[in-house]
Each structure stands twice: as C-alpha cells, then as structure tokens.
Amino acid sequence: DTGVSQNPRHKITKRGQNVTFRCDPISEHNRLYWYRQTLGQGPEFLTYFQNEAQLEKSRLLSDRFSAERPKGSFSTLEIQRTEQGDSAMYLCASSLSVAAANYGYTFGSGTRLTVV
Amino acid sequence: AQSVTQPDIHITVSEGASLELRCNYSYGATPYLFWYVQSPGQGLQLLLKYFSGDTLVQGIKGFEAEFKRSQSSFNLRKPSVHWSDAAEYFCAEPLYNTDKLIFGTGTRLQVFP
C-alpha cells in the first residue's frame, strides 16, 4: 500500500481556466476527505465521501467547485473558472471508519494550485 | 465556536536544544487531540494522537505531547531538536459531533545549526 496519492503535485493555471485534481486513497478506506490550506493557515474542511456518496460540503465550496468519487475509490476535485483566491494547497485524506476524525486521517502530499 | 489555538506563529531553536510547541483546545468534554507535521511543499504526517488514558503520549521522530485538562492544553515537546525537524506543526481536534478535523494556524519551526 502506497498511502494516499494525489496528482498532480503542482498546477499553475491562468485565471478563468478549469482544473481537476485526483486523489487515490488507501485502497480499503471507505471515507475520503478534501481540505484546503492557504498560506499561513491550517487546513480547512471542504467535503467528504463515504464510498461514492458525498456526505457534506463546506460553505467554502462555492458552486465553481465540484467533487466526485464515482466508484467509491479515487476522487476528483474540479474547480471551474479559477480565481486567484483559489490558489492554495488542496489536501486529500482517507480513513477506514466512521468517527474517523477521532482516530486521525491519513493525508496525501497535496496538490499546490497557483492561479496567475 | 470550537477552536484550536497555537499561540506561537514562528519558533527558532538551535540544533540540540529542547523544544515545546503550545496548543490550546476549546472542546474538552472527551478530547481527541492530534499533532501533525508538514515539511515544505508536503502533506501532513501524523506525529501523535491522544484519546484517553496516560496524559503523556509518545509519537514518532522522538516527539511527545502532554495533555493537561486543567489548562486545555496539548503541548508538543522534543528533548533535542535535529535540523530535519524544521517544518510546520499543526495541532488538531475533531469538530464536535462531526467527522471533520479543525486545525490550529500552525507553528513554523526553524532550526539553526
């Protein structure tokens, strides 16, 4: 098992373009989380999945953001019409069980997005 | 609102010196507490976690943390810092009755030779 994998590691895009990030969780983990981290801040929750079902979305997730986990395995996070304020590190994490926050997630290495 | 506070934004220590990073949590009924480390450009790695029981928790890389309910604190310590410990450190706890973690703003550790 190679842990949580995120691709790409870095993405530079022009304002207004669409971007998509991918996360491959630990294979047996049924929960998958997306967090966003801006410079000088701790990670903030965006959304999470139980298998293929998206259970919760943060208010931080505007309608330009969409996340999917079509077969309950990997997940994608798409940002449409990117803005400079979207520049951040996007972190994916996975876990095995309910109440996983009580036991800690396994995070990936993140995708750093820069919007120019 | 529930929060995690890390009062020190930036700490500088000499290699070999001892280290203590402070963390205060607000939701304390049955706290689950975590310390994560983030090297530059990398994701988060779990250093240690507290659920219950012994208030002194041992983690990876020689780190330990002490839970003090009376002070709502969960400070991270290391007796002798190595240059490779230079990173950003985050304290976290679950948001009450959810499966989400809330993080402090982090403490950046710089180590001088």
Side-chain angles (χ1 to χ4, degrees):
Chain A
D1 190 350
T2 56
V4 178
S5 176
Q6 291 189 248
N7 289 288
R9 292 294 307 278
H10 304 274
K11 179 71 177 179
I12 300 174
T13 191
K14 291 183 178 180
R15 190 176 53 181
Q17 297 294 305
N18 299 344
V19 294
T20 300
F21 312 139
R22 177 178 170 127
C23 171
D24 289 88
I26 292 172
S27 56
E28 63 267 29
H29 285 183
N30 56 4
R31 289 220 163 182
L32 186 148
Y33 310 82
W34 286 99
Y35 281 73
R36 182 171 68 187
Q37 184 182 18
T38 53
L39 205 59
Q41 299 297 315
E44 295 176 294
F45 170 81
L46 291 179
T47 187
Y48 80 98
F49 294 83
Q50 168 93 6
N51 299 315
E52 66 274 13
Q54 189 172 19
L55 297 187
E56 187 173 347
K57 292 170 59 174
S58 164
R59 294 173 197 169
L60 294 175
L61 219 60
S62 76
D63 56 6
R64 296 184 298 104
F65 287 71
S66 62
E68 294 183 339
R69 195 182 183 198
K71 297 183 179 179
S73 56
F74 73 91
S75 175
T76 57
L77 178 67
E78 181 183 16
I79 309 174
Q80 295 182 329
R81 306 181 303 282
T82 52
E83 301 173 356
Q84 287 187 321
D86 297 331
S87 296
M89 173 80 90
Y90 290 85
L91 293 162
C92 177
S94 70
S95 67
L96 185 58
S97 63
V98 177
N102 291 352
Y103 303 100
Y105 310 146
T106 301
F107 280 89
S109 297
T111 294
R112 180 164 295 285
L113 173 67
T114 303
V115 181
V116 297
Chain B
Q2 187 178 348
S3 64
V4 174
T5 303
Q6 293 180 248
D8 305 305
I9 295 172
H10 186 206
I11 285 183
T12 301
V13 299
S14 298
E15 192 170 19
S18 63
L19 172 71
E20 183 169 28
L21 303 183
R22 295 183 291 166
C23 171
N24 293 96
Y25 60 91
S26 66
Y27 178 70
T30 53
Y32 295 79
L33 296 160
F34 306 90
W35 276 99
Y36 284 88
V37 60
Q38 185 177 37
S39 298
Q42 300 297 313
L44 301 174
Q45 181 181 20
L46 182 65
L47 279 177
L48 49 77
K49 52 192 174 185
Y50 172 79
F51 300 154
S52 64
D54 193 347
T55 57
L56 188 62
V57 181
Q58 302 297 320
I60 62 171
K61 304 185 179 187
F63 284 91
E64 64 180 27
E66 185 171 14
F67 169 67
K68 292 186 178 180
R69 185 183 294 275
S70 61
Q71 298 177 18
S72 297
S73 70
F74 187 56
N75 293 349
L76 183 70
R77 302 194 295 239
K78 187 169 185 178
S80 177
V81 171
H82 188 263
W83 63 267
S84 61
D85 293 324
E88 189 138 23
Y89 292 80
F90 292 94
C91 184
E93 71 169 346
L95 183 63
Y96 172 69
N97 208 29
T98 76
D99 207 17
K100 297 178 281 194
L101 286 174
I102 54 171
F103 289 84
T105 52
T107 298
R108 180 169 297 280
L109 174 66
Q110 193 169 8
V111 180
F112 281 112

